[in-house]
């Protein structure tokens, strides 16, 4: 509850900024049922230049809408979400942009890690990356996927090639959008991409899985496996997703899920 006032202030700043953007771009009566609206970083900056707070005029902050609740009110009221399509260019789309992350109930599987010694450095801090690195070092990721050959091969930000897809009945084209995966592991027969979180997540924007999936499906000739990873308390939660139709943004589906607790004896 300690972060509630901060979240409320950020929400108000987001609402103020996007209300100004909608007025500036004359979007109050725009027919989003007919087509998405293309908006640029320049439009956003121009619409918000009179605002005072950083959170009310910085494009990166205003366009980071990773969960349904993190959208501004004008988006929620109209059933909209935001997709980057090129560096500094976005589409405001009407439709379902998010997917639910199902709970993993019951006791965790007690997992005996494969490392064989204690990782003392892994106990310092509390970041998404260190939890993911620990799970990989102990072979939790390899065991979940069922591929002992996986090695770390991708990390950080890269730009997508050009690709296109559908959202509902709308056609979207993407070109050179910056994506980031928390880790990518390549094995003999598969490439595994991971989106990691460090707190309980009920839903997330599909884009965080879909864009890297499309990007790396063009770069490699192996099946691309998408994982959503979360450290929750003492447990490591993993969800595997796939897309029934690679050209359909909304065709995401859950393949399997798992909950692990690494035995203290294994480090």
């Amino acid at each position: 509850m300690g972060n509630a006032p901060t979240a409320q202030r950020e929400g108000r700043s987001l609402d103020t900024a996007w209300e100004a953007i909608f007025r500036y771009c004359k979007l109050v009566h725009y027919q989003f049922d007919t087509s998405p609206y293309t908006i640029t970083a320049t439009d956003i900056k121009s619409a918000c230049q009179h605002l005072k707070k950083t959170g009310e005029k910085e494009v990166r902050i205003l366009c980071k809408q990773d969960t349904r609740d993190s959208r501004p009110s004008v988006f929620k009221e109209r059933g909209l979400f935001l997709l980057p399509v090129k560096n500094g260019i976005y589409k405001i789309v009407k439709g379902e942009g998010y997917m639910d992350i199902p709970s993993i109930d019951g006791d965790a599987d007690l997992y005996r890690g494969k490392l064989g010694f204690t990782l003392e450095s892994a106990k310092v801090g509390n970041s998404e990356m260190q939890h993911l690195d620990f799970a990989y070092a102990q072979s939790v990721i390899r065991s979940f996927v069922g591929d002992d050959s996986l090695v770390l091969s991708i990390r950080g930000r890269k730009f997508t090639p050009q690709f296109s897809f559908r959202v509902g009945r709308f056609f979207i084209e993407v070109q050179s959008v910056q994506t980031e995966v928390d880790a990518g592991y390549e094995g003999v027969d598969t490439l595994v991409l991971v989106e990691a979180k460090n707190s309980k997540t009920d839903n997330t924007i599909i884009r965080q899985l879909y864009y890297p999936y499309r990007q790396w499906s063009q770069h490699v000739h192996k099946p691309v496996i998408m994982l959503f990873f979360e450290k929750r308390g003492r447990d490591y939660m993993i969800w595997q997703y796939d897309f029934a139709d690679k050209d359909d943004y909304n065709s995401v589906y859950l393949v399997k899920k798992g909950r692990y607790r690494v035995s203290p004896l294994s480090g």
Side-chain angles (χ1 to χ4, degrees):
M1 297 295 292
N3 291 327
T6 300
Q8 290 172 358
R9 286 194 298 271
E10 291 173 351
R12 287 194 295 270
S13 293
L14 197 67
D15 286 345
T16 298
W18 276 103
E19 286 166 6
I21 294 166
F22 266 54
R23 289 193 300 271
Y24 179 86
C25 296
K26 298 179 172 60
L27 292 179
V28 176
H29 300 294
Y30 184 82
Q31 297 299 311
F32 289 100
D33 287 318
T34 303
S35 63
Y37 182 85
T38 303
I39 191 167
T40 68
T42 301
D43 294 332
I44 294 171
K45 290 176 182 177
S46 297
C48 299
Q49 62 180 340
H50 65 287
L51 300 176
K52 305 299 183 185
K53 300 176 183 176
T54 300
E56 293 176 339
K57 56 185 178 180
E58 187 171 324
V59 175
R60 178 186 60 83
I61 295 174
L62 296 177
C63 293
K64 183 175 173 59
Q65 302 175 20
D66 292 343
T67 65
R68 291 189 184 99
D69 287 343
S70 65
R71 293 175 298 166
S73 294
V74 290
F75 277 61
K76 294 175 184 176
E77 293 162 359
R78 294 166 173 80
L80 307 175
F81 69 101
L82 194 68
L83 286 175
V85 293
K86 197 173 181 180
N87 187 28
I89 303 176
Y90 304 83
K91 294 280 189 182
I92 303 176
V93 185
K94 184 165 186 177
E96 179 54 87
Y98 299 83
M99 64 184 199
D100 294 323
I101 305 297
S103 61
I104 305 179
D105 300 322
D107 295 332
D109 292 332
L110 190 60
Y111 179 85
R112 184 174 294 277
K114 305 297 192 291
L115 194 59
F117 64 91
T118 298
L119 281 174
E120 296 182 7
S121 58
K123 299 176 182 179
V124 180
N126 183 30
S127 69
E128 299 165 356
M129 198 64 67
Q130 77 180 77
H131 297 318
L132 181 56
D133 286 344
F134 179 82
Y136 171 69
Q138 293 287 16
S139 283
V140 175
I141 303 295
R142 294 187 185 97
S143 296
F144 177 82
V145 174
D147 187 346
D148 289 336
S149 68
L150 293 177
V151 295
L152 180 66
S153 61
I154 303 168
R155 178 159 280 172
R157 298 172 180 172
K158 291 180 173 60
F159 287 88
T160 68
Q162 184 173 351
F163 63 89
S164 59
F165 59 95
R166 302 185 308 276
V167 177
R169 58 192 177 86
F170 301 129
F171 181 80
I172 306 289
E173 282 196 71
V174 165
Q175 182 178 356
S176 193
V177 169
Q178 183 174 272
T179 65
E180 183 173 9
V181 295
D182 292 303
Y185 307 106
E186 186 170 353
V188 174
D189 299 313
T190 56
L191 177 67
V192 178
L193 305 179
V194 185
E195 174 67 26
K197 300 295 182 185
N198 197 28
S199 60
K200 187 178 185 300
T201 306
D202 295 321
N203 66 83
T204 189
I205 192 162
I206 299 170
R207 172 186 54 78
Q208 289 190 325
L209 297 183
Y210 186 71
Y211 278 27
Y213 168 79
R214 289 299 305 273
Q215 175 179 8
W216 288 99
S217 292
Q218 291 186 216
H219 289 318
V220 301
H221 300 291
K222 304 174 181 183
V224 176
I225 294 175
M226 303 302 306
L227 300 185
F228 192 84
F229 171 93
E230 184 180 302
K231 173 75 180 324
R232 192 179 300 176
R234 297 169 59 191
D235 297 343
Y236 297 86
M237 326 278 278
I238 309 174
W239 297 260
Q240 179 180 336
Y241 288 93
D242 199 357
F243 292 87
D245 179 351
K246 72 176 182 65
D247 297 317
D248 186 350
Y249 178 90
N250 292 117
S251 70
V252 63
Y253 68 94
L254 179 69
V255 176
K256 64 177 181 176
K257 56 187 177 179
R259 181 174 186 163
Y260 301 90
R261 181 171 298 175
V262 178
S263 167
L265 296 177
S266 60

